[in-house]
């Protein structure tokens, strides 16, 4: 994982652009996450953005205590306005160096601030790809965020207590594949997935 503070803003802007391009007709389309439609992915992104914003502020409560699989699957009627606003707030919260220090909580798990930041950026990178491929959009994650996501996923895959990838069993990807493909494989995704 990264030892330095970085700005989540470039990646939150990538995700916000993807969100802006989602049409009403695409809300029921499938994503690479089994059983997760585009609307569910939007709801997950909204919930995790609030939770990790609160984790950065060390504002522990209902959102930071909620398990990821318990997140609201429906983004609600105002998602087109709410999600970009919350993504901006998430990035702003992690610009405070204090967010990266000490302990916090996300998903009901206590963890160091820097680890919470790594989890947040990993969620943004991987779920950004999920949203992009599900809606047929090009995807270029922020290079700093992608490297941080890859480093986090690699460390998790090599941790024997985790039993493999974060989102599912690691999918083998050639060592010389692009960094995004290698990160996707570590996350349990097939980089060649098509709807």
């Amino acid at each position: 994982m990264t030892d330095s503070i970085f700005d989540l803003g470039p990646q939150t802007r990538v995700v916000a652009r993807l969100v802006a391009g989602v049409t009403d007709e695409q809300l029921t389309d499938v994503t690479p996450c089994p059983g997760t439609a585009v609307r569910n992915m939007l709801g997950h992104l909204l919930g995790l953005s609030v939770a990790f914003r609160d984790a950065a502020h060390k504002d522990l409560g209902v959102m930071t205590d909620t398990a990821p699989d318990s997140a609201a699957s429906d983004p609600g009627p105002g998602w087109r306005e709410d999600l970009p606003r919350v993504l901006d707030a998430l990035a702003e919260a992690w610009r405070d160096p204090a967010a990266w220090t000490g302990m916090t909580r996300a998903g009901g798990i206590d963890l160091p601030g820097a680890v919470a930041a790594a989890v947040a950026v990993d969620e943004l990178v991987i779920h950004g790809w999920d949203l992009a491929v599900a809606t047929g959009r090009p995807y270029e994650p922020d290079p700093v965020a992608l490297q941080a996501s890859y480093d986090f996923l690699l460390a998790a895959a090599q941790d024997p207590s985790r039993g493999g990838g974060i989102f599912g069993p690691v999918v083998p990807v050639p060592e010389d594949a692009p960094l995004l493909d290698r990160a996707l494989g570590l996350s349990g995704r097939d980089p060649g997935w098509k709807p």
Side-chain angles (χ1 to χ4, degrees):
M1 283 185 285
T2 183
D3 292 328
S4 59
I5 294 173
F6 58 91
D7 186 5
L8 277 68
Q11 183 61 27
T12 61
R13 287 190 293 277
V14 168
V15 174
R17 282 192 297 274
L18 291 168
V19 167
V22 174
T23 66
D24 289 343
E25 294 75 27
Q26 293 173 318
L27 292 175
T28 56
D29 289 353
V30 297
T31 71
C33 295
T36 304
V38 168
R39 77 176 307 107
N40 307 124
M41 184 59 63
L42 294 168
H44 181 62
L45 282 164
L46 185 59
L48 76 86
S49 295
V50 171
F52 282 98
R53 175 203 64 198
D54 291 354
H57 290 304
K58 314 282 196 291
D59 182 12
L60 309 183
V62 173
M63 290 309 294
T64 60
D65 288 340
T66 303
D69 56 0
S70 301
S73 60
D74 191 322
W79 64 269
R80 290 189 188 280
E81 296 77 32
D82 294 342
L83 194 43
R85 180 180 43 78
V86 173
L87 286 165
D88 284 345
L90 170 67
E92 186 60 35
W94 286 100
R95 289 185 182 117
D96 181 353
W100 297 73
T101 63
M103 296 295 289
T104 191
R105 184 179 309 128
I109 299 169
D110 292 331
L111 62 170
V115 174
V119 174
V121 79
D122 178 59
E123 292 273 347
L124 293 169
V125 168
I126 299 303
H127 292 319
W129 179 81
D130 290 336
L131 190 58
V133 297
T135 59
R137 306 278 302 284
Y139 184 59
E140 290 186 33
D142 170 60
V144 173
L146 175 58
Q147 185 65 58
S149 174
Y150 175 80
D151 292 346
F152 172 74
L153 290 164
L154 182 61
Q158 294 173 339
D159 181 350
S161 69
R162 287 186 123 353
I166 298 278
F167 300 109
V170 171
V171 173
V173 175
E175 289 184 22
D176 62 348
L179 186 60
L180 177 58
D181 289 0
R182 287 182 282 145
L184 292 168
L186 288 170
S187 78
R189 282 161 172 71
D190 176 358
W193 184 90
K194 301 276 187 232

